Amino acid sequence: MTRLQTLISTFENTFNTAPEAVCHGPGRVNLIGDHTDYNDGFVLPAAINFGTDIAANPREDRTVRVIASDISKEMESFSLDNIEFNEQVMWVNYVAGTLQCLMAHYPDLKGADMVVSGNVPQGAGLSSSASFEIAILRTFAKLHGLPLDGVTAALIGQKAENEFVGCNCGIMDQLISAMGKEDNAMLLDCRSLSFEHAPVPANVSVVIINSNVKRGLVDSEYNTRREQCEAVAKHFDKPALRDVSLAELEADKANIDSVLFRRARHVITENDRTVAALDALKANDLKTMGELMVQSHMSLKDDFEVTTSEMDYLVEIIADVVGDKGGVRMTGGGFGGCVVALAPDELVDGIKATIEELYQAKTGLIADVYVCAAKDGAFFEA
Ligand code: GLA
């Protein structure tokens, strides 16, 4: 049985009826532009062929019943009239928080019976949580006929994450999960929330390599980085680092703490690289794209300090295989998780072989390699 068949049969066995809707929210990989979204900057992610699926039926009352079939067969249940943070069952907070934020738009929302299953590797920086939030919103939109658009859904998911779950993330993950497009990456302006899709060049693979470094201190380090960026914007009396140029930053170097200076330099240069990367992708110029990706990695390593030695090593050995035919860099929040490579299809076997030969010997860890396809977001309509 496939995972989807299991999902549906679990639903049927639990609720004694077939699900009216089966909805999906994809995870994402970011090709370039990390730690820019909460600075009102630019990102260039793609939705991927891993995600969260929900089988569901509408209810006429305000009860929500849900099983996370990958975790346990136990059903959680709550009322939309009484939403509280659940200290014991962490995953249910994604459901409760997302629905609480959805009710700001639809106060009379009705409940649902649901079974959830996902295959986004957890804690790998591929946005399993955003895929879950967007899958819930897609499910409720479908069950109850809500005219929810992808940008609004993304904002609701982000709000749930910020205000209910407690992670101060930007808008990238939810927006690409909602509005990604098959075979395309998407340049997103995180200030205006306007976006532009650009095809991943033909015969080029998006390869995600999970370092399997257990991510630690992610939320606290993430929130610290965010505060550091905001402090520099404030120093310049600007709304966000998006509004500070590299020349302005450098001219004032003597008056800025050296750590904060490097944090800001990463964000400002990363925005430029991300906009340039869209042009490189459109021109099928993998050499330039590759250079931008490696510069991005070095900036995240040296200026933003969110990589680990294992991720740095993966980038180093994969860059040797890819040469000037593609690129590789860390992706997502950092402190463990994945690196992403863009490479011609014929180099994928060489990338895998190199990782197998060198990575475990050096780090004691085994990396997982996923050759991915860019997929439609949950709210994307062609
Ligand atoms: C996490 C956050 C995103 C973004 C990235 C870094 O994935 O959820 O909003 O800030 O880190 O680019």
Side-chain angles (χ1 to χ4, degrees):
M1 257 208 275
T2 65
R3 195 177 52 83
L4 266 190
Q5 286 166 336
T6 308
L7 173 74
I8 291 168
S9 84
T10 306
F11 186 95
E12 287 170 347
N13 294 336
T14 309
F15 298 112
N16 295 318
T17 169
E20 205 170 278
V22 180
C23 294
H24 176 78
R28 65 99 186 92
V29 66
N30 191 20
L31 299 182
I32 192 164
D34 272 311
H35 292 276
T36 44
D37 62 352
Y38 55 80
N39 292 296
D40 278 3
F42 296 91
V43 295
L44 187 63
I48 56 175
N49 53 324
F50 289 87
T52 305
D53 296 282
I54 302 183
N57 265 345
R59 294 178 61 95
E60 282 309 310
D61 60 12
R62 300 261 287 170
T63 300
V64 174
R65 298 193 294 174
V66 52
I67 293 179
S69 62
D70 310 316
I71 299 176
S72 98
K73 298 277 166 274
E74 215 138 291
M75 179 144 60
E76 296 299 322
S77 136
F78 61 89
S79 162
L80 292 172
D81 293 315
N82 181 27
I83 290 190
E84 280 171 0
F85 192 84
N86 189 326
E87 299 283 351
Q88 270 78 48
V89 190
M90 196 44 209
W91 65 264
V92 85
N93 292 311
Y94 289 95
V95 186
T98 302
L99 293 177
Q100 184 175 66
C101 295
L102 180 62
M103 279 193 291
H105 299 252
Y106 302 99
D108 300 327
L109 193 68
K110 295 269 169 41
D113 289 334
M114 300 188 276
V115 178
V116 182
S117 162
N119 62 358
V120 185
Q122 302 259 321
L126 301 177
S127 295
S128 54
S129 49
S131 87
F132 192 7
E133 291 145 13
I134 293 299
I136 290 163
L137 291 165
R138 184 72 206 125
T139 301
F140 272 72
K142 183 147 189 211
L143 291 181
H144 297 304
L146 314 176
L148 198 60
D149 66 89
V151 172
T152 308
L155 288 166
I156 292 172
Q158 184 200 17
K159 193 162 193 262
E161 189 94 44
N162 291 171
E163 293 177 9
F164 201 82
V165 182
C167 171
N168 230 346
C169 68
I171 191 67
M172 163 167 71
D173 306 345
Q174 290 79 10
L175 221 147
I176 185 66
S177 179
M179 294 309 288
K181 178 179 174 189
E182 180 147 23
D183 297 331
N184 278 251
M186 183 175 106
L187 182 83
L188 168 65
D189 178 335
C190 299
R191 170 167 279 169
S192 68
L193 302 187
S194 63
F195 50 83
E196 178 181 347
H197 295 112
V200 176
N203 310 318
V204 168
S205 293
V206 178
V207 188
I208 300 175
I209 303 99
N210 189 347
S211 68
N212 282 320
V213 175
K214 219 176 155 14
R215 297 173 79 209
L217 292 175
V218 183
D219 287 354
S220 62
E221 288 289 347
Y222 185 92
N223 291 341
T224 305
R225 293 298 181 286
R226 189 170 176 153
E227 283 159 20
Q228 291 170 329
C229 292
E230 285 164 2
V232 181
K234 192 158 175 241
H235 169 85
F236 284 99
D237 205 15
K238 299 278 175 71
L241 279 183
R242 160 77 172 269
D243 307 299
V244 180
S245 70
L246 189 59
E248 274 174 288
L249 180 73
E250 282 176 344
D252 215 19
K253 187 171 182 183
N255 299 317
I256 301 171
D257 169 86
S258 65
V259 172
L260 294 198
F261 176 83
R262 286 188 289 117
R263 301 293 187 258
R265 182 167 62 188
H266 164 70
V267 173
I268 294 168
T269 56
E270 184 82 345
N271 276 332
D272 292 344
R273 284 188 287 271
T274 305
V275 173
L278 178 76
D279 292 336
L281 260 197
K282 284 201 220 155
N284 208 346
D285 178 357
L286 273 247
K287 180 170 183 288
T288 302
M289 183 70 192
E291 287 165 3
L292 293 166
M293 288 174 79
V294 170
Q295 286 164 14
S296 164
H297 184 84
M298 296 318 288
S299 177
L300 286 156
K301 170 176 180 283
D302 297 330
D303 276 355
F304 220 65
E305 296 182 284
V306 294
T307 69
T308 67
S309 59
E310 295 86 349
M311 301 165 93
D312 296 339
Y313 184 62
L314 278 174
V315 166
E316 186 189 317
I317 62 178
I318 295 168
D320 278 346
V321 180
V322 173
D324 64 3
K325 299 194 173 68
V328 55
R329 60 184 284 281
M330 68 147 263
T331 182
F335 304 105
C338 293
V339 308
V340 61
L342 265 191
D345 297 341
E346 66 268 17
L347 292 184
V348 172
D349 285 345
I351 293 175
K352 286 184 182 161
T354 297
I355 294 167
E356 214 154 282
E357 189 194 329
L358 299 175
Y359 184 66
Q360 189 181 10
K362 173 91 171 183
T363 64
L365 296 168
I366 298 179
D368 291 313
V369 179
Y370 323 110
V371 181
C372 283
K375 290 288 177 189
D376 281 347
F379 287 82
F380 178 77
E381 279 166 29

